[in-house]
Amino acid sequence: MAKDHQVKAKKYLGQHFLNDENIAKKIADTLSLKGYKNILEIGPGMGVLTKYLLQKDITTYVIEIDLESVEYLKANYLNLANKIIEKDFLKYDLNNVFNDESFAIIGNFPYNISTQIVFKALEMRHQIPEFSGMFQKEVAQRICEKEGSKKYGILSVLTQAFYNAEYLFTVPPQVFNPPPKVESGVLRLTRKENYTLPCDEKLFYKVVKTAFQQRRKTLRNSLKTLNLSDILREDVIFGKRPEQLSVSEFIKLTTLIENDIN
Ligand code: SAH
């Protein structure tokens, strides 16, 4: 491929290429680079973030599903050549590359799969001390939101159970080609020192998801399907709605339920 050939944006891959160098550099600088030796950029496209990552004193890998983008990267970033993973991030077993080592995730993510990216990262949290990047603004806000807000939900609780989440800044549509219909938001997740829960983690996921499926109901009603004892359901916590519970209260709730079932 000729060097100056531009990749044609494909809608089904969520391609919106960032064309503002200052913003690209600012996003690349959101990682602290502390506590890991590798970075994995998801969806590099034409490498607008990648080129700033490559300037850092750390090993950068990229994972990209689009063959045309991969060819562009190979032609334009010669020192990236053996660090390009031509795969679908959602399906690929990253330990083929990282062998249980830690890595940070960064990206201007494809918005159509952005929540799935977060869920996969949470599954691999033992290896991911830090995660930053750009989402649709609404999604970035939901991830970082605290209890008591309408945007607070499954994504907020599950992410913040393991990471401290900071909303960093908003990016307008005009700096992309083609411009998306929505604003974008950049966030940073920093893994908590203790990222294993003091309760059954599977049950925690189940409780959080079940509670938010009927977010206007009290937990007494929404958690009926979990077959809890009448005594437990008398506890004051069951009179609350899910958006009123902090992450630690969800952990407490899960512990109560765990003891009730056993
Ligand atoms: N980071 C670039 C491109 C952003 S667009 C920029 O800021 O300009 C999102 C990128 O994610 C595209 O390059 C798209 O091909 C890639 N992508 C979409 N789905 C993917 C998947 N499942 N795995 C890896 N990359 C993916």
Side-chain angles (χ1 to χ4, degrees):
M1 182 189 277
K3 258 190 152 190
D4 52 0
H5 179 95
Q6 298 287 299
V7 175
K8 189 173 170 296
K10 298 164 199 75
K11 205 174 174 185
Y12 72 99
L13 289 177
Q15 290 182 337
H16 295 276
F17 297 113
L18 180 63
N19 56 28
D20 184 310
E21 295 295 329
N22 290 325
I23 296 175
K25 183 172 186 309
K26 209 169 148 187
I27 296 173
D29 287 344
T30 55
L31 290 176
S32 72
L33 310 184
K34 289 188 187 121
Y36 48 86
K37 295 197 189 93
N38 307 293
I39 297 179
L40 176 66
E41 184 191 350
I42 302 172
M46 287 186 278
V48 66
L49 289 183
T50 323
K51 65 162 123 24
Y52 296 105
L53 297 172
L54 288 171
Q55 290 172 7
K56 297 182 186 292
D57 188 18
I58 195 156
T59 308
T60 297
Y61 289 83
V62 299
I63 184 161
E64 172 59 65
I65 200 171
D66 177 36
L67 191 68
E68 195 186 351
S69 294
V70 167
E71 285 183 0
Y72 179 95
L73 294 167
K74 283 182 179 165
N76 288 275
Y77 301 95
L78 299 178
N79 47 349
L80 189 65
N82 59 352
K83 302 284 189 292
I84 303 177
I85 310 165
E86 299 183 45
K87 297 283 179 192
D88 179 341
F89 170 76
L90 296 178
K91 295 192 183 143
Y92 187 62
D93 178 1
L94 290 163
N95 278 327
N96 291 329
V97 175
F98 293 112
N99 281 318
D100 289 328
E101 272 187 40
S102 290
F103 57 96
I105 286 183
I106 192 164
N108 164 18
F109 304 115
Y111 295 171
N112 51 340
I113 57 164
S114 60
T115 55
Q116 294 171 72
I117 290 174
V118 175
F119 283 122
K120 177 158 178 178
L122 293 180
E123 268 172 42
M124 296 192 74
R125 61 186 174 274
H126 308 91
Q127 279 169 270
I128 307 176
E130 202 170 37
F131 178 120
S132 69
M134 186 145 57
F135 292 84
Q136 187 177 326
K137 182 181 177 185
E138 168 82 26
V139 175
Q141 286 175 322
R142 275 201 277 136
I143 294 171
C144 300
E145 204 58 73
K146 294 287 179 209
E147 66 274 18
S149 142
K150 273 193 179 148
K151 293 201 174 93
Y152 182 68
I154 297 174
L155 208 50
S156 337
V157 178
L158 297 183
T159 306
Q160 292 172 40
F162 308 110
Y163 288 87
N164 292 316
E166 301 163 83
Y167 184 91
L168 299 176
F169 56 91
T170 301
V171 178
Q174 309 83 275
V175 298
F176 297 89
N177 181 24
K181 290 201 179 73
V182 291
E183 285 190 305
S184 300
V186 176
L187 60 65
R188 175 172 48 223
L189 306 178
T190 311
R191 194 175 59 192
K192 293 183 173 177
E193 217 156 282
N194 191 351
Y195 53 90
T196 49
L197 301 181
C199 61
D200 180 329
E201 286 180 6
K202 265 199 180 143
L203 185 62
F204 176 77
Y205 267 65
K206 188 173 177 185
V207 167
V208 173
K209 287 181 176 169
T210 312
F212 277 108
Q213 265 159 20
Q214 296 171 289
R215 63 181 294 141
R216 308 188 67 93
K217 294 198 177 167
T218 62
L219 299 169
R220 197 164 288 135
N221 287 314
S222 60
L223 298 182
K224 260 187 188 145
T225 51
L226 299 182
N227 282 326
L228 307 173
S229 69
D230 289 343
I231 298 174
L232 180 64
R233 291 172 63 241
E234 288 301 311
D235 192 297
V236 286
I237 200 169
F238 284 88
K240 295 192 176 188
R241 283 178 287 117
E243 67 190 43
Q244 296 175 295
L245 260 60
S246 65
V247 171
S248 49
E249 285 174 304
F250 266 110
I251 292 171
K252 185 184 150 201
L253 175 67
T254 306
T255 309
L256 289 173
I257 294 174
E258 203 175 331
N259 295 335
D260 189 56
I261 292 171
N262 292 332

